[in-house]
Amino acid sequence: MKYFTLYSLIAFSVTGIILTYFITEHMKTDKISSNATLASIILNAEVSPLLSEEVLITGLPSQNILAIEKNIMKVPHNINMLMLNIINKEGTIIFSTDNALINTKVFLSQNIKSSFSGKVHYQIIDSNQIDYLQKFQNKKIIEAYLPIILGTKTYGTYEIYMNFADIGSHINDLKKLIYATVFFGLSILFISLLKIIRNASNTLIQQNNALRLRTEELQSSYAKLNTAYKNTVLTLSNAIEARDPYTRGHSERVTTISLILGSTLGLSDEQLKTLETASLFHDIGKLGISDLILHKPEKLTEEEFKVIKNHPIIGVNILGNIDFLKNILPIILHHHEKFDGSGYPLGIRGESIPLKSRIIAVADTYDAMTSNRPYRKGLPHEQAVEELIRLADIQFDRQVVDAFLISEHSIKESTIEVN
């Protein structure tokens, strides 16, 4: 409101000044033009009949001069004509209300030449700009050139000097009135607009406060929903691992390692959330594997391993109808693919494997190698890391292995905490 009030007040003030200036300038020009036109009409009616092509060249007879002096008295007083000169095309003043100027030569200015071609010209000058006008003592004077047209030709020009004082005084009075009117009107408009903006601003503030409260409520509800969602996912993950006491905590450890790797690789918060859910569900397909195979303490046969290799597809089938989990299906499907293309279930290779699947593959293998099983003891951390390095660019994406090495200490500590 403060800035609006300041800037709009400046805008209204400038608009008022400019508007008043243009209105008064137009009125001044219109008034001068009207006086010049009226003078031209009277001179053409009363003086031009006393002129001819011959007298304009040879000079006016005395009786013509007397007649002109008498006739110019008919020019209305409101025109305020101070001086009249009649100039022929040679630049000689053949008549003047100042007898001293008769038969003198004048400089043929562009304005005079323009008048010789039939155009009316007028301008405001200072009396001290011209020697024979200095007797008017620094007055603003209107200088006008009106063509002398006899028949169809122009033979000279009337040079008229009119007092600007009355016009200027009239314009100043009008200017004050226009200033008052314009600024009164703009002030009413400004106050009305200010009131509208203030009311709108107050309404927006109230709406903004209500929206802020609503947003806080939605954020609180979202946080609760997100917590419930995570708890549900974790419960389902634990339900999967409850079937096998030896793999309990595996999905949670894989998730912890995957998130560390994802952060090291620069994944966004949204990508990390997807990675977290996919990690927790990566082995859900094992729900469809027989306990006889899943819990077998001895090494699996080739046929049994083929059954195990179906668990990514089974997992996708289990989760396929849950809309909010559809974005994790490709990650789960490909988390056992190998970088050289020798993995399962589709045997894709390299960067064709989703990055999040490549991350889970490293985390899953590391946890499997370092965890105890009925048929073997888990590897030490250092030996498991050496195995990851050895299999880089073969089973694993080297950039994910490099991220593991960068975050090695954090991964080791975090898996200890999970255990």
Side-chain angles (χ1 to χ4, degrees), residues 9 36 79 139 196 337 376 418:
L9 187 60
I79 292 180
K139 286 184 178 181
I196 292 170
E337 304 286 2
R376 64 163 174 81
V418 172

Side-chain angles (χ1 to χ4, degrees), residues 89-302:
K89 281 199 169 183
E90 281 69 42
T92 301
I93 298 176
I94 64 168
F95 173 84
S96 176
T97 51
D98 182 352
N99 291 330
L101 296 177
I102 295 176
N103 294 325
T104 60
K105 287 277 189 178
V106 297
F107 171 72
L108 296 179
S109 65
Q110 188 60 43
N111 294 337
I112 294 176
K113 291 178 180 178
S114 178
S115 178
F116 289 163
S117 65
K119 297 178 181 177
V120 175
H121 177 82
Y122 50 83
Q123 63 181 354
I124 299 172
I125 62 171
D126 290 322
S127 60
N128 59 8
Q129 289 182 244
I130 300 175
D131 292 340
Y132 53 78
L133 296 178
Q134 290 184 3
K135 60 186 176 183
F136 296 116
Q137 300 177 347
N138 295 321
K139 286 184 178 181
K140 289 282 187 182
I141 291 177
I142 302 169
E143 178 186 63
Y145 293 98
L146 312 173
I148 300 172
I149 301 173
L150 303 176
T152 58
K153 292 184 179 180
T154 303
Y155 291 97
T157 184
Y158 294 112
E159 183 181 52
I160 302 177
Y161 293 100
M162 296 175 285
N163 191 356
F164 178 72
D166 289 345
I167 294 177
S169 176
H170 178 65
I171 293 299
N172 285 336
D173 292 340
L174 283 175
K175 186 182 291 186
K176 292 176 184 177
L177 179 61
I178 293 169
Y179 266 124
T181 304
V182 168
F183 277 95
F184 178 72
L186 290 178
S187 297
I188 293 175
L189 180 61
F190 172 74
I191 292 169
S192 301
L193 184 60
L194 192 63
K195 185 177 180 180
I196 292 170
I197 294 297
R198 182 179 284 112
N199 291 339
S201 179
N202 291 335
T203 301
L204 285 173
I205 289 171
Q206 293 172 2
Q207 290 176 345
N208 187 58
N209 290 335
L211 182 61
R212 180 174 54 80
L213 291 173
R214 182 61 178 160
T215 301
E216 290 174 356
E217 291 173 1
L218 287 173
Q219 287 175 341
S220 177
S221 299
Y222 175 76
K224 292 177 182 178
L225 182 63
N226 193 45
T227 300
Y229 164 74
K230 285 186 177 180
N231 290 337
T232 301
V233 171
L234 192 57
T235 301
L236 288 172
S237 174
N238 290 336
I240 299 166
E241 295 176 354
R243 297 181 62 206
D244 184 0
Y246 292 102
T247 60
R248 188 164 298 156
H250 168 70
S251 293
E252 193 174 350
R253 290 191 299 273
V254 170
T255 300
T256 300
I257 297 169
S258 295
L259 291 177
I260 294 172
L261 294 176
S263 296
T264 304
L265 290 168
L267 267 60
S268 66
D269 290 343
E270 195 63 35
Q271 290 172 319
L272 289 174
K273 287 179 183 178
T274 303
L275 178 62
E276 180 182 24
T277 306
S279 300
L280 287 170
F281 278 132
H282 76 284
D283 273 343
I284 194 171
K286 288 183 179 179
L287 288 173
I289 305 298
S290 168
D291 285 348
L292 294 175
I293 297 175
L294 199 61
H295 300 159
K296 185 178 179 179
E298 298 88 11
K299 185 176 180 179
L300 298 177
T301 65
E302 186 175 341

